[in-house]
Amino acid sequence: MPEERKSRAETIRSAIEQEILSGKLPSGSQIDEQQLLSRFGVSRTPAREALIQLASAGLVELVPRQGAIVSSITLREYVAMSEILVQLESLAAQLAARRISPGQREAMQAAHADCAEAAERLDPDGYRMANDRFHAVIYEACCNEILSRQIRTMRARMRGMRDLRFEKPARIRASLQEHGAVMEAILRGDEEAAAQAMVRHIATGGNVYADMIAAMPPEAGRPRR
């Protein structure tokens, strides 16, 4: 496609992807094409191309006579993604230990401090937001845009499931300790320790939930829209 049209489509795709990742557009949300035209000041072609790109990434479903719907996933799909995410996050931590910049070091420490404050308050929503910032620093510090995009896309697809990880104070405290181990390994440049610490962090957070879901029958339905 011409570069100008490609750029417009990419701008729309990126904006919608970030809204899905942040939870602003939860599973089941309808994306109105006419609103995209007005919001971004574009013609129908780049808007449709952006939606096709989002559909190719699995973030939306193009439904006849309904348009684009933010994708839902089954419980089993959630488990499968969780198992893959462990390995992707581990690789990101390994690369971050090798490549993290001074500014990113400060950003990681600041995010970890925010996690600690939220944990002290027993604030699950505050901890969840600080946790997202902590991991976002690692994605940036790994300096691998393809890996970072894969992680963000997978997390965006998983976002529609209710996040129960931090509803219990014990899990918040455990997560904070795991963050500390990941951060210390990254900051001292220990690639192997960073990767292993991240595996323990992601796997511990999801194992109980994943095992429960994996044991469900195949006909377990999609989450309600």
Side-chain angles (χ1 to χ4, degrees):
M1 69 180 75
E3 285 301 316
E4 183 179 356
R5 196 175 77 192
K6 181 178 180 181
S7 177
R8 290 196 296 266
E10 176 64 19
T11 296
I12 299 169
R13 183 209 59 75
S14 180
I16 300 303
E17 180 182 286
Q18 287 304 311
E19 290 176 2
I20 295 173
L21 179 61
S22 68
K24 185 176 180 180
L25 284 174
S27 296
S29 299
Q30 186 167 6
I31 301 175
D32 186 271
E33 187 176 302
Q34 289 299 322
Q35 289 182 358
L36 292 183
L37 305 187
S38 174
R39 174 182 172 184
F40 293 97
V42 297
S43 65
R44 182 168 281 105
T45 299
R48 287 183 174 174
E49 287 169 350
L51 293 176
I52 290 171
Q53 291 174 21
L54 290 166
S56 296
L59 296 179
V60 305
E61 299 174 22
L62 301 180
V63 183
R65 295 184 295 280
Q66 294 186 48
I69 308 293
V70 178
S71 298
S72 299
I73 60 173
T74 66
L75 299 177
R76 284 182 173 274
E77 287 171 335
Y78 186 93
V79 173
M81 291 179 189
S82 297
E83 292 171 345
I84 296 170
L85 189 63
V86 171
Q87 303 305 318
L88 296 180
E89 294 263 12
S90 175
L91 178 56
Q94 177 184 342
L95 294 175
R98 184 190 313 168
R99 300 169 175 172
I100 191 168
S101 70
Q104 290 161 348
R105 286 171 174 266
E106 294 179 4
M108 176 177 289
Q109 290 169 322
H112 185 61
D114 289 343
C115 285
E117 291 181 9
E120 181 68 23
R121 297 193 308 267
L122 296 180
D123 176 4
D125 290 334
Y127 189 87
R128 189 174 290 110
M129 289 187 290
N131 173 77
D132 287 348
R133 291 197 299 275
F134 180 85
H135 284 273
V137 174
I138 296 174
Y139 307 154
E140 180 182 351
C142 80
C143 299
N144 185 316
E145 181 60 32
I146 294 176
L147 174 61
S148 176
R149 179 175 294 279
Q150 287 294 321
I151 295 173
R152 293 179 186 277
T153 298
M154 187 165 292
R155 283 199 173 276
R157 293 193 65 194
M158 297 168 70
R159 183 68 69 172
M161 300 292 290
R162 186 184 176 197
D163 190 348
L164 301 173
R165 293 171 297 163
F166 304 128
E167 297 300 316
K168 295 183 178 180
R171 179 56 205 149
I172 292 179
R173 290 191 289 267
S175 175
L176 182 64
Q177 291 181 340
E178 293 156 13
H179 278 183
V182 171
M183 182 175 69
E184 289 174 10
I186 289 176
L187 294 184
R188 69 173 182 266
D190 190 331
E191 297 177 33
E192 182 176 353
Q196 292 176 351
M198 184 60 82
V199 166
R200 287 192 294 270
H201 173 52
I202 301 297
T204 300
N207 271 348
V208 174
Y209 190 46
D211 290 345
M212 178 183 69
I213 295 173
M216 291 181 174
E219 62 271 16
R222 293 179 180 270
R224 289 184 297 176
R225 290 177 172 174

